[in-house]
Amino acid sequence: MPPSITSLTDHACLVVHGPDQPGLVSVIAALITRNKGNIISLDQHSSDPEDGGFFQRIVFHRQNLVTVMDDIRADLADTLGPYEMAWSLSDRSQPKRMAILASKDDHCLLDLLWRQRRGDLPVTIPMVISNHTDSVEDVRSFGVPFFHVPSQTGPDKSESEAEILRLLKGNVDFIVLARYMQIISSDFLEQVGVPVINIHHSFLPAFIGAAPYRKAKERGVKLVGATAHYVTENLDEGPIIEQDVVRVTHRDHVHDLKRLGAEVERSVLSRAVLWHAQDKVIRTGNTTIVF
Amino acid sequence: MPPSITSLTDHACLVVHGPDQPGLVSVIAALITRNKGNIISLDQHSSDPEDGGFFQRIVFHRQNLVTVMDDIRADLADTLGPYEMAWSLSDRSQPKRMAILASKDDHCLLDLLWRQRRGDLPVTIPMVISNHTDSVEDVRSFGVPFFHVPSQTGPDKSESEAEILRLLKGNVDFIVLARYMQIISSDFLEQVGVPVINIHHSFLPAFIGAAPYRKAKERGVKLVGATAHYVTENLDEGPIIEQDVVRVTHRDHVHDLKRLGAEVERSVLSRAVLWHAQDKVIRTGNTTIVF
Amino acid sequence: MPPSITSLTDHACLVVHGPDQPGLVSVIAALITRNKGNIISLDQHSSDPEDGGFFQRIVFHRQNLVTVMDDIRADLADTLGPYEMAWSLSDRSQPKRMAILASKDDHCLLDLLWRQRRGDLPVTIPMVISNHTDSVEDVRSFGVPFFHVPSQTGPDKSESEAEILRLLKGNVDFIVLARYMQIISSDFLEQVGVPVINIHHSFLPAFIGAAPYRKAKERGVKLVGATAHYVTENLDEGPIIEQDVVRVTHRDHVHDLKRLGAEVERSVLSRAVLWHAQDKVIRTGNTTIVF
Amino acid sequence: MPPSITSLTDHACLVVHGPDQPGLVSVIAALITRNKGNIISLDQHSSDPEDGGFFQRIVFHRQNLVTVMDDIRADLADTLGPYEMAWSLSDRSQPKRMAILASKDDHCLLDLLWRQRRGDLPVTIPMVISNHTDSVEDVRSFGVPFFHVPSQTGPDKSESEAEILRLLKGNVDFIVLARYMQIISSDFLEQVGVPVINIHHSFLPAFIGAAPYRKAKERGVKLVGATAHYVTENLDEGPIIEQDVVRVTHRDHVHDLKRLGAEVERSVLSRAVLWHAQDKVIRTGNTTIVF
């Protein structure tokens, strides 16, 4: 039987990256073999034949995986230590815990909740946090806790951010900003300690900042798009995970662009979330490798 | 028999635009009827229900069209005068004359020559002008005159532009910059007196200016694109006619982006040229209506 | 202010089709003008310059539209009678009533409910009918009545169809089969008297019938698709309204194809529903004109 | 410097496939390491976690590759023998030799010739064979030999096929049917002994056989497509390498579908040729793995 997205008992995912060196593939494959793993899929990328970066993602099957995770981790530390590689090993039967931050617009939020319920996303959703209460009933009807943290008025958001941090701390593996219309401070990013994925409603780097659909209409573009990216200190400048576009015409007003774009936003965000949750995305500089 | 793209005897195309006013459609349709025309297709757009712009393109059939073009033009001038509408009437059996300006890269140039020879573009090509001689044999093998006008060194391009103007003057209805790597002066634009279409190798307004594929690689975008637009005084800022994109990945180096982008460039440019040649594009402000 | 999709007070939509005849556009435009309407948009298509079909959709603005609908209808009957044209006039402020029939799979059902609630579909949803009870709570949380009509076992579905007909009769303007997994009898179609739109989970005419994703996997196609069409007596053979595809690879198992295809299904169906609700779709033979 | 498509000195491509067995990745990686190769990219696919097929493509760098190809081949034979794997090792500095068979329609033919000249396809083109003479000058202007082999009238094509076979025998590594409008006999396929790639002008399995664009128009589809596939005994039934589609509307006549489809045909065919030439395509049953 083929593996499903969400229940992969005895499947591990190993991600390794760092400076490319001859023999790495062989060393890593041998490690998996001696730990009785069978490689199911392997993606490898070298950014340059000489002096480039090495990026690898391996999914392997190992009976009774849970009983040997620590042994394999110890072996990885010993074996990869001399190569100065970064690595992570995850048990694919353990879904990542994803918090969603949202505002009034609910299309991305509801889409993620529904895909998760359908079994199309290998995540649990311990909480939704919003600065509005519009979606409270919808969210709870999915059996997901909803927390309302109103935005502070004024530029200082430290108190509301602190409350959000208290809710998140220790409870989540990554955060999704599903059309969350508050700017995240660099202080927040530093303290939260987990990856944060945002959906921007334009084809970045076009139309950075506010009101991208209005700007798109004014510029007369023939396609509008959406971009999912990791959040960094610089607004709309983080590493891009996924993008897509949809065709528009002169007949479409700004509200049509919003409607058509909303469809792209939810598709793009859901793919980015799926790939992140499957450990398929590796950050390198300000870009990503997506296996 | 359905109409072909290139030989439409007794077919006229009427384009009308200006301030929207009640009854315009009726007035224009009545005019065509009393001139014994039969409307084949009609596209109409109002930019706003109140005080908006009116844009209309009508293709109509009229037996012995060529004998009555002047009468219809006179009727149009009389009838539309009070409404202060801009209009143009063209005989679809008369292909527009298109000059191509190119440099070393030949993918857009050859693609236009092929399509024209195949009968897929309703244009004649009286000349290709290039600041290089690389394509001279290819161009002449299509039976198209090739003129070499080397670029002047230094910022002053007035002499080479003057020579190009002498070649074009009176001989062409529009100009296509098929990856022509010289900046066109506003002086040239003013004097040339016909529309100029450019293909920019990015999804504008992303990556304006030089080396867009390199910038796209550095930003880590997941799609690269191309944009065909009318040339105005401001580089890469003119009204967009058509755009498209193609998916790229972390595996693609800058030269792959160029290769994949080249395919989009020639598609996008050929569609823009086709639509312009069919009088399907109306400029309004810095945007276009494409019927 | 631009028109929204759902509240178009004083906007009428006139659809006319029949044998093409010179002067039709003029006659119809004059009728609208004398009834004090102002044409907002006009789409016209002639299937052939000679002896073809004439298809036209006009949206016009008329103050106090509701008070003159009967007068305009009478004028249309008088004026178009001699031309033997079919026509319909609708008040765009009156949303169409759409019933949804569904089974266990809820992605198309929920997508339509969401879009309608968001104001992205100009319809009301008087009822959802299902042969399963899985979605009852979801549907009612949208404030939409849910009726459970279990499928009869055996080939004779006349009783369950009769019950569905009783529920629908007089209450709906069109019906959407949102992954409804029961075959509709030609008897039902005849009696229901309103258009029925179905979403088929393949790019028709490829993979007609059951289990299209399994067949697609076996055939090794590189794209899977979905098709929205009007239901006729012949299964999967009705006039196509909209289609789209998504790229798949050898890595995708049948369940991945289902997941990826589900996204296309809901997009395609929602576009077909939107266009039908806006009177943009005209059936002609076994095909459609979509303006 | 990044590798270009066509000149990859000291790069080898190893393709291995067969029944999946634990440790295979490790065994193969070790082999490359002990032969002093450095893995540049690695793609691996297992069709099923248990008892599935194993498919792997590795590109590795080895200084002075040409001097050790025989040694590596011997090592591969020894090492992989016990595993009963099929494998092939190619020197990426040696472009494959591609023959093109064409008829009157030249869009796919010219596109391949031009991409090869541009350096976008890692192939040489020793000959073009056509049953017509229309393209002789175009082909020879690329410096490529052109052979005219008229089709025999009547169903028996054995003589013309025999002549084609004499031309091809020993001179080519694969064959492309670039809109070649003659049916290939199974006898021919057997004798020619190299892969044959065809471009079919529809989205298979829709519209198998002749006149697909006419059938598409009649069925009223909203997208038309093209399919590149390996040729097998059964017409239009071979393993699919690549497919794509383009949107069409009710306005498009059959000749527009042909024009729009022609663009998709040449894109799809060129991608299939590129991937085949790069050893990225592995046939398995009647489907393909495309890395």
Side-chain angles (χ1 to χ4, degrees):
Chain A
M1 218 200 62
S4 89
I5 279 183
T6 46
S7 112
L8 283 162
T9 311
D10 289 340
H11 282 67
C13 182
L14 171 64
V15 174
V16 180
H17 59 107
D20 199 0
Q21 295 150 77
L24 268 175
V25 176
S26 180
V27 164
I28 296 165
L31 184 150
I32 291 168
T33 302
R34 76 171 165 262
N35 283 281
K36 300 198 172 62
N38 188 27
I39 294 177
I40 303 294
S41 78
L42 189 160
D43 291 284
Q44 193 243 310
H45 173 68
S46 298
S47 58
D48 216 297
E50 287 175 49
D51 299 323
F54 172 92
F55 304 89
Q56 196 179 53
R57 176 183 182 268
I58 295 181
V59 176
F60 62 90
H61 181 259
R62 169 62 164 85
Q63 284 204 314
N64 305 317
L65 176 68
V66 73
T67 65
V68 294
M69 283 290 281
D70 287 345
D71 299 338
I72 302 177
R73 283 209 175 92
D75 197 349
L76 280 163
D78 284 354
T79 306
L80 293 179
Y83 292 93
E84 297 184 19
M85 307 302 284
W87 59 268
S88 71
L89 181 73
S90 61
D91 180 342
R92 295 294 306 282
S93 70
Q94 298 299 314
K96 289 194 203 306
R97 300 164 302 164
M98 169 177 80
I100 305 175
L101 271 64
S103 293
K104 275 171 174 290
D105 237 330
D106 66 0
H107 57 285
C108 288
L109 168 63
L110 291 180
D111 192 72
L112 290 174
L113 289 167
W114 169 78
R115 287 185 200 259
Q116 193 272 344
R117 184 176 76 179
R118 211 172 132 82
D120 284 353
L121 292 176
V123 298
T124 57
I125 305 180
M127 71 187 74
V128 169
I129 299 172
S130 178
N131 55 332
H132 293 278
T133 54
D134 304 59
S135 304
V136 57
E137 281 177 46
D138 278 326
V139 170
R140 288 185 181 150
S141 79
F142 281 90
V144 171
F146 178 96
F147 301 115
H148 178 223
V149 181
S151 292
Q152 278 173 275
T153 50
D156 178 11
K157 310 286 182 196
S158 56
E159 269 184 50
S160 51
E161 287 198 343
E163 188 176 341
I164 295 173
L165 279 171
R166 274 191 298 277
L167 290 166
L168 296 170
K169 211 67 183 183
N171 290 320
V172 304
D173 297 312
F174 71 109
I175 296 164
V176 175
L177 309 184
R179 297 302 307 277
Y180 181 64
M181 304 310 277
Q182 298 291 317
I183 290 173
I184 301 282
S185 73
S186 55
D187 212 50
F188 178 95
L189 276 180
E190 209 169 290
Q191 288 184 53
V192 76
V194 296
V196 182
I197 295 173
N198 183 46
I199 180 74
H200 183 76
H201 41 317
S202 85
F203 181 78
L204 289 175
F207 309 124
I208 285 176
Y213 291 124
R214 181 163 299 281
K215 291 174 190 162
K217 179 67 184 169
E218 283 162 11
R219 182 63 189 91
V221 292
K222 301 301 185 185
L223 302 166
V224 296
T227 304
H229 63 94
Y230 289 114
V231 178
T232 58
E233 282 188 52
N234 302 312
L235 185 69
D236 302 341
E237 299 275 1
I240 293 169
I241 305 169
E242 172 64 338
Q243 306 187 282
D244 213 340
V245 293
V246 65
R247 195 160 281 278
V248 297
T249 78
H250 59 272
R251 291 172 184 246
D252 295 309
H253 294 275
V254 174
H255 66 93
D256 295 306
L257 268 49
K258 282 182 188 166
R259 176 175 53 83
L260 293 162
E263 177 121 9
V264 185
E265 292 167 31
R266 60 183 201 176
S267 292
V268 163
L269 180 58
S270 73
R271 289 201 291 275
V273 164
L274 174 60
W275 298 338
H276 176 83
Q278 292 175 322
D279 294 308
K280 289 189 168 177
V281 189
I282 308 177
R283 290 169 66 156
T284 169
N286 201 43
T287 66
T288 62
I289 310 289
V290 181
F291 282 130
Chain B
M1 220 200 62
S4 88
I5 278 184
T6 46
S7 114
L8 282 161
T9 312
D10 289 340
H11 282 67
C13 183
L14 171 64
V15 174
V16 180
H17 60 106
D20 199 1
Q21 294 150 79
L24 268 175
V25 176
S26 180
V27 164
I28 296 166
L31 184 150
I32 291 168
T33 302
R34 75 171 165 262
N35 283 281
K36 300 198 172 63
N38 188 26
I39 294 177
I40 302 294
S41 78
L42 189 160
D43 290 284
Q44 193 244 310
H45 173 67
S46 299
S47 58
D48 216 297
E50 289 175 48
D51 300 323
F54 172 91
F55 304 89
Q56 194 179 53
R57 176 183 183 268
I58 294 181
V59 176
F60 62 90
H61 182 259
R62 169 63 164 85
Q63 284 205 314
N64 305 317
L65 176 68
V66 72
T67 64
V68 294
M69 282 291 281
D70 287 346
D71 299 338
I72 302 178
R73 284 209 175 93
D75 197 349
L76 280 162
D78 285 353
T79 307
L80 293 178
Y83 294 93
E84 298 184 18
M85 307 302 284
W87 59 269
S88 70
L89 181 73
S90 62
D91 180 342
R92 295 294 306 281
S93 70
Q94 298 300 312
K96 289 195 204 305
R97 301 164 301 166
M98 169 177 81
I100 306 176
L101 270 64
S103 292
K104 275 173 172 289
D105 235 330
D106 67 358
H107 56 286
C108 288
L109 169 63
L110 288 180
D111 192 72
L112 291 174
L113 291 167
W114 281 349
R115 290 186 198 256
Q116 194 273 343
R117 184 174 73 177
R118 257 170 90 81
D120 284 352
L121 291 177
V123 299
T124 59
I125 306 180
M127 70 187 74
V128 169
I129 299 171
S130 178
N131 55 332
H132 293 278
T133 54
D134 306 58
S135 304
V136 57
E137 281 178 45
D138 278 327
V139 170
R140 287 185 181 151
S141 78
F142 283 87
V144 170
F146 178 97
F147 302 116
H148 178 223
V149 181
S151 293
Q152 278 173 272
T153 49
D156 178 11
K157 310 286 181 195
S158 55
E159 270 183 49
S160 51
E161 287 199 344
E163 188 176 342
I164 296 173
L165 278 171
R166 275 191 298 276
L167 291 165
L168 296 170
K169 211 67 183 183
N171 291 321
V172 303
D173 297 312
F174 71 107
I175 296 163
V176 175
L177 308 184
R179 297 298 309 274
Y180 181 63
M181 305 310 276
Q182 298 290 316
I183 290 173
I184 301 281
S185 72
S186 53
D187 213 48
F188 179 95
L189 276 181
E190 210 168 289
Q191 289 183 55
V192 77
V194 296
V196 182
I197 295 173
N198 183 47
I199 180 74
H200 183 75
H201 40 318
S202 84
F203 181 80
L204 289 175
F207 310 125
I208 285 175
Y213 291 124
R214 182 163 299 280
K215 291 175 190 162
K217 180 66 184 170
E218 283 162 10
R219 183 61 189 92
V221 291
K222 301 301 183 185
L223 303 165
V224 296
T227 305
H229 62 94
Y230 289 114
V231 177
T232 58
E233 283 188 53
N234 302 311
L235 184 70
D236 301 341
E237 300 275 0
I240 293 168
I241 305 169
E242 172 63 338
Q243 307 187 281
D244 214 341
V245 293
V246 64
R247 194 160 283 276
V248 297
T249 78
H250 59 271
R251 292 173 182 246
D252 295 310
H253 293 275
V254 173
H255 66 94
D256 296 306
L257 268 50
K258 282 182 188 166
R259 177 174 53 83
L260 293 163
E263 179 116 12
V264 184
E265 291 166 33
R266 58 185 200 169
S267 292
V268 163
L269 180 59
S270 73
R271 288 202 291 275
V273 165
L274 175 60
W275 297 338
H276 176 84
Q278 293 175 321
D279 293 310
K280 288 190 169 177
V281 189
I282 308 177
R283 290 169 65 156
T284 169
N286 201 43
T287 66
T288 62
I289 309 289
V290 181
F291 281 130
Chain C
M1 218 198 65
S4 89
I5 279 184
T6 46
S7 115
L8 283 162
T9 311
D10 290 339
H11 282 68
C13 182
L14 171 65
V15 174
V16 180
H17 60 106
D20 199 1
Q21 294 150 80
L24 267 175
V25 176
S26 181
V27 164
I28 296 165
L31 184 150
I32 290 168
T33 302
R34 76 171 166 262
N35 283 281
K36 301 199 171 63
N38 187 28
I39 294 176
I40 303 293
S41 77
L42 190 161
D43 291 283
Q44 193 242 311
H45 174 67
S46 298
S47 59
D48 216 297
E50 287 175 49
D51 299 322
F54 171 92
F55 303 89
Q56 195 180 54
R57 177 183 183 268
I58 294 181
V59 176
F60 62 90
H61 181 259
R62 169 63 164 86
Q63 284 204 314
N64 304 317
L65 176 68
V66 72
T67 65
V68 294
M69 282 291 281
D70 287 346
D71 298 338
I72 302 177
R73 283 208 175 93
D75 196 349
L76 281 162
D78 285 354
T79 307
L80 294 177
Y83 294 93
E84 296 185 19
M85 308 302 284
W87 59 268
S88 70
L89 180 73
S90 62
D91 180 342
R92 295 293 308 279
S93 69
Q94 298 299 314
K96 289 194 203 306
R97 301 164 301 165
M98 168 178 80
I100 306 175
L101 270 64
S103 292
K104 276 173 171 288
D105 236 329
D106 67 359
H107 56 287
C108 288
L109 169 63
L110 288 181
D111 193 72
L112 291 174
L113 291 167
W114 281 348
R115 290 186 198 256
Q116 193 273 344
R117 185 175 73 177
R118 256 171 90 81
D120 284 352
L121 292 176
V123 298
T124 58
I125 306 179
M127 70 187 74
V128 169
I129 299 171
S130 178
N131 56 332
H132 294 278
T133 54
D134 305 58
S135 304
V136 56
E137 282 178 45
D138 278 326
V139 170
R140 288 184 180 150
S141 79
F142 283 88
V144 171
F146 178 96
F147 301 115
H148 178 224
V149 180
S151 293
Q152 276 171 274
T153 50
D156 178 10
K157 310 286 181 195
S158 55
E159 270 184 49
S160 50
E161 286 198 344
E163 188 176 342
I164 295 172
L165 279 171
R166 275 192 298 276
L167 290 165
L168 295 171
K169 210 67 182 185
N171 291 321
V172 304
D173 297 311
F174 72 108
I175 296 164
V176 174
L177 309 183
R179 298 298 309 275
Y180 181 64
M181 304 310 278
Q182 298 291 316
I183 290 174
I184 302 281
S185 73
S186 54
D187 213 49
F188 178 94
L189 275 181
E190 210 169 288
Q191 289 184 55
V192 76
V194 295
V196 182
I197 295 173
N198 184 46
I199 180 75
H200 183 75
H201 41 317
S202 85
F203 181 80
L204 290 175
F207 310 124
I208 285 174
Y213 291 124
R214 180 163 300 281
K215 290 174 189 161
K217 178 68 185 170
E218 283 162 13
R219 183 62 189 90
V221 292
K222 301 300 184 186
L223 302 166
V224 296
T227 304
H229 63 94
Y230 288 112
V231 178
T232 59
E233 282 188 54
N234 302 311
L235 185 69
D236 303 340
E237 299 275 2
I240 293 169
I241 306 170
E242 173 62 340
Q243 305 188 283
D244 214 340
V245 294
V246 65
R247 194 159 283 277
V248 298
T249 78
H250 58 271
R251 292 173 183 245
D252 295 309
H253 294 275
V254 174
H255 65 94
D256 296 306
L257 268 51
K258 282 182 187 165
R259 177 174 52 84
L260 293 163
E263 179 116 12
V264 185
E265 291 167 32
R266 57 185 201 170
S267 292
V268 163
L269 180 58
S270 74
R271 287 201 291 275
V273 165
L274 174 61
W275 298 337
H276 177 84
Q278 293 177 320
D279 293 309
K280 287 189 168 174
V281 190
I282 308 177
R283 291 169 65 156
T284 169
N286 202 42
T287 66
T288 62
I289 311 287
V290 181
F291 282 131
Chain D
M1 219 199 62
S4 89
I5 278 183
T6 46
S7 113
L8 283 162
T9 313
D10 290 340
H11 283 67
C13 182
L14 171 64
V15 174
V16 180
H17 59 106
D20 199 0
Q21 294 150 79
L24 267 175
V25 176
S26 179
V27 164
I28 296 166
L31 183 150
I32 291 168
T33 301
R34 74 171 166 261
N35 284 281
K36 300 199 174 60
N38 187 27
I39 294 176
I40 303 294
S41 77
L42 189 161
D43 291 284
Q44 193 244 311
H45 174 67
S46 298
S47 59
D48 216 298
E50 288 174 50
D51 298 323
F54 172 92
F55 304 89
Q56 195 178 55
R57 176 183 183 268
I58 294 180
V59 177
F60 62 90
H61 182 259
R62 169 62 164 89
Q63 284 205 314
N64 304 317
L65 176 69
V66 72
T67 64
V68 294
M69 283 290 282
D70 287 346
D71 299 338
I72 302 176
R73 282 209 175 92
D75 197 349
L76 279 162
D78 285 354
T79 307
L80 294 178
Y83 293 93
E84 296 185 20
M85 306 303 284
W87 59 268
S88 70
L89 181 72
S90 61
D91 180 341
R92 295 292 307 281
S93 70
Q94 297 300 314
K96 289 194 203 306
R97 300 164 302 164
M98 169 177 82
I100 305 175
L101 270 64
S103 292
K104 276 173 172 288
D105 236 329
D106 65 0
H107 56 286
C108 288
L109 168 63
L110 290 180
D111 193 71
L112 290 174
L113 289 167
W114 169 78
R115 288 185 200 258
Q116 193 273 343
R117 183 177 75 179
R118 210 173 132 81
D120 284 352
L121 291 177
V123 299
T124 57
I125 306 179
M127 70 187 73
V128 168
I129 299 171
S130 178
N131 56 332
H132 294 277
T133 54
D134 305 58
S135 304
V136 57
E137 282 177 46
D138 278 326
V139 170
R140 288 184 181 151
S141 79
F142 282 90
V144 170
F146 178 96
F147 301 115
H148 178 223
V149 181
S151 293
Q152 278 172 274
T153 50
D156 179 10
K157 310 284 181 196
S158 55
E159 270 183 51
S160 51
E161 287 198 344
E163 188 176 342
I164 295 173
L165 279 171
R166 274 193 299 275
L167 290 165
L168 296 171
K169 211 66 183 183
N171 291 321
V172 303
D173 297 311
F174 72 108
I175 296 164
V176 174
L177 309 183
R179 299 297 310 274
Y180 181 64
M181 305 311 277
Q182 298 292 315
I183 289 174
I184 301 282
S185 73
S186 54
D187 213 47
F188 179 94
L189 275 180
E190 210 170 288
Q191 289 184 55
V192 77
V194 296
V196 181
I197 295 172
N198 183 46
I199 180 74
H200 183 75
H201 41 318
S202 85
F203 181 79
L204 289 175
F207 310 124
I208 285 174
Y213 292 124
R214 182 163 299 281
K215 290 175 190 161
K217 179 68 185 170
E218 283 162 12
R219 183 61 188 91
V221 291
K222 300 301 183 185
L223 303 166
V224 296
T227 304
H229 63 94
Y230 289 113
V231 178
T232 59
E233 282 188 53
N234 302 311
L235 185 68
D236 303 339
E237 300 275 1
I240 293 169
I241 305 169
E242 172 62 338
Q243 307 187 283
D244 214 341
V245 293
V246 65
R247 194 159 282 276
V248 297
T249 78
H250 59 273
R251 292 172 183 246
D252 295 309
H253 293 275
V254 173
H255 65 95
D256 296 306
L257 268 48
K258 281 182 188 166
R259 176 174 53 83
L260 293 163
E263 176 121 10
V264 184
E265 291 166 32
R266 60 182 201 176
S267 293
V268 163
L269 180 59
S270 73
R271 288 201 291 275
V273 165
L274 174 61
W275 298 338
H276 176 84
Q278 293 176 321
D279 294 309
K280 287 190 169 176
V281 189
I282 308 176
R283 290 169 66 156
T284 169
N286 201 44
T287 66
T288 62
I289 310 288
V290 181
F291 282 130

